[in-house]
Amino acid sequence: MNKSLITNIVATLCVLVGYVSGHAIIFSIGIFALSGAVTNLVAIHMLFEKVPFLYGSGVITLKFKEFKSSIRKLILEEFFHKDKISHLLQSQKDNLDLTPVIKKVDLDPAFDTLVGVIESSQFGPMLTMFGGSEALQPMRSSFVEKMQDTLIDITQEPKFKALMVNELIGGNASSIHDTIEQAVDHRLDELTPTMVKDIIQNMIKTHLGWLVVWGGVFGGLFGLMAAFV
């Protein structure tokens, strides 16, 4: 439903009915309502579009750099400020659980490295006598399981958690913020004045439609008062 169109149609009908019937009050209400609605409609159009010879029109496009700067400031200072990132990391220190990550880590290369170390050591010739590295392959699954359990136990220790959080807060909070800042700057550099205009226009289009409606309503009320003056 186009609220602006309906408001203008109703106001225009009042003008026509008042003019044809000679009813001064209806005509006055229609004229004032139509002028209020059209004025607000033109004002909304001027907000987003540049109108020749009308100073100040197209303000969204003209203030493109200021809008980009405001968006950047909002994202980096209100949502991803370094202090807020640090606070988030600090709040998660008691819930730090690396078990799901460790379970997904491929530890087969660690076993292969261990086998390689044994083969290149003084135990290599002895291992060869018992079938070489193939003799150790049945131990692979047991080794991976034991390594996972050991790593999980280590990461569950309070000292390890405290160290991990301190490292994240001390170094990575700034690093995370810098990464986000670079991503935001890169995305904003891709924006054009037209894209910014469309984003803002789509956000507030519904609410701007009510400006036309209320412009017609208040204009009609002024017209009614003018008819009795």
Side-chain angles (χ1 to χ4, degrees):
M1 182 180 65
N2 192 322
K3 297 183 287 293
S4 301
L5 179 61
I6 293 176
T7 302
N8 287 323
I9 291 176
V10 172
T12 301
L13 288 176
C14 288
V15 172
L16 294 176
V17 170
Y19 179 78
V20 172
S21 65
H23 201 296
I25 295 179
I26 295 179
F27 182 77
S28 179
I29 292 174
I31 285 292
F32 276 81
L34 185 62
S35 64
V38 171
T39 298
N40 285 356
L41 184 63
V42 172
I44 294 171
H45 180 77
M46 290 174 57
L47 181 64
F48 297 101
E49 306 293 341
K50 179 66 177 177
V51 180
F53 309 112
L54 292 181
Y55 177 78
S57 60
V59 63
I60 300 297
T61 305
L62 292 175
K63 298 296 182 179
F64 170 63
K65 291 183 178 180
E66 287 82 351
F67 277 111
K68 283 211 314 181
S69 177
S70 298
I71 293 173
R72 183 182 187 277
K73 182 177 180 181
L74 176 66
I75 295 175
L76 295 179
E77 294 189 8
E78 297 299 328
F79 294 101
F80 295 107
H81 191 273
K82 292 181 181 180
D83 293 340
K84 293 185 178 181
I85 295 175
S86 296
H87 177 72
L88 176 62
L89 294 173
Q90 182 68 42
S91 66
Q92 295 299 315
K93 68 177 182 178
D94 295 330
N95 300 322
L96 187 63
D97 186 7
L98 299 180
T99 300
V101 177
I102 295 174
K103 289 291 186 181
K104 294 178 181 179
V105 173
D106 183 10
L107 293 176
D108 284 333
F111 180 78
D112 294 335
T113 301
L114 176 62
V115 173
V117 170
I118 294 175
E119 286 180 325
S120 62
S121 70
Q122 63 268 34
F123 296 101
M126 186 182 298
L127 180 62
T128 303
M129 294 175 58
F130 292 97
S133 61
E134 293 299 324
L136 299 176
Q137 292 306 315
M139 300 172 53
R140 181 181 293 273
S141 59
S142 178
F143 171 85
V144 170
E145 183 179 345
K146 293 296 183 181
M147 280 293 295
Q148 286 179 339
D149 292 340
T150 301
L151 291 173
I152 291 172
D153 290 340
I154 293 174
T155 59
Q156 293 298 323
E157 294 179 357
K159 290 184 178 180
F160 177 86
K161 288 186 176 183
L163 178 62
M164 179 65 71
V165 171
N166 289 334
E167 286 296 321
L168 288 173
I169 295 175
N172 283 3
S174 297
S175 177
I176 293 172
H177 181 272
D178 292 341
T179 301
I180 295 173
E181 184 176 13
Q182 292 176 6
V184 170
D185 287 339
H186 177 72
R187 184 66 185 96
L188 289 178
D189 287 340
E190 296 176 349
L191 292 179
T192 65
T194 301
M195 292 172 65
V196 173
K197 182 198 74 174
D198 291 340
I199 291 172
I200 299 176
Q201 191 172 22
N202 290 334
M203 287 172 56
I204 61 179
K205 184 176 181 180
T206 301
H207 302 287
L208 289 179
W210 284 106
L211 292 179
V212 178
V213 174
W214 289 115
V217 171
F218 287 115
L221 292 176
F222 287 131
L224 179 61
M225 289 186 291
F228 287 103
V229 173

